[in-house]
Amino acid sequence: MTALVRAALQRRPRPTRRGLGRGVGFGLVLLAMSLTTIETVAVRRTLNVAVGTLLGLAVLRERLTPLTITGLSAVLGGVLLVSVQFETA
């Protein structure tokens, strides 16, 4: 192995920590679903994408491209569709 490959392998995060983080995150989602409705948890998880995009635009000064606007509109439109309470006759 070259020194460059060896150095790259040493910098990688350990799979154990990554797996543990995913397991804890999934456990927190399951806990939230047991405490409230699934729709509420889904909406809040989806809104994280929109909040992250807006923070990227405001804090990191990322460019607002047509693709960003389209993606953000799709996410927010989906959140609105899930949030609407339909009356059944």
Side-chain angles (χ1 to χ4, degrees):
M1 269 193 224
T2 65
L4 184 61
V5 172
R6 219 175 292 126
L9 288 174
Q10 289 174 349
R11 283 193 307 256
R12 280 190 347 194
R14 302 239 180 230
T16 308
R17 283 188 274 162
R18 242 184 305 174
L20 183 63
R22 288 180 184 165
V24 169
F26 187 66
L28 289 173
V29 168
L30 290 178
L31 176 67
M33 286 181 182
S34 69
L35 297 174
T36 186
T37 63
I38 294 175
E39 291 85 11
T40 303
V41 175
V43 166
R44 297 230 167 101
R45 287 187 71 197
T46 305
L47 279 177
N48 285 338
V49 175
V51 170
T53 302
L54 294 174
L55 282 174
L57 293 170
V59 176
L60 301 176
R61 306 275 190 234
E62 292 182 357
R63 288 183 295 144
L64 186 63
T65 64
L67 186 61
T68 305
I69 294 170
T70 303
L72 194 56
S73 300
V75 168
L76 293 178
V79 167
L80 287 175
L81 284 175
V82 171
S83 299
V84 171
Q85 298 289 328
F86 291 103
E87 292 184 26
T88 57

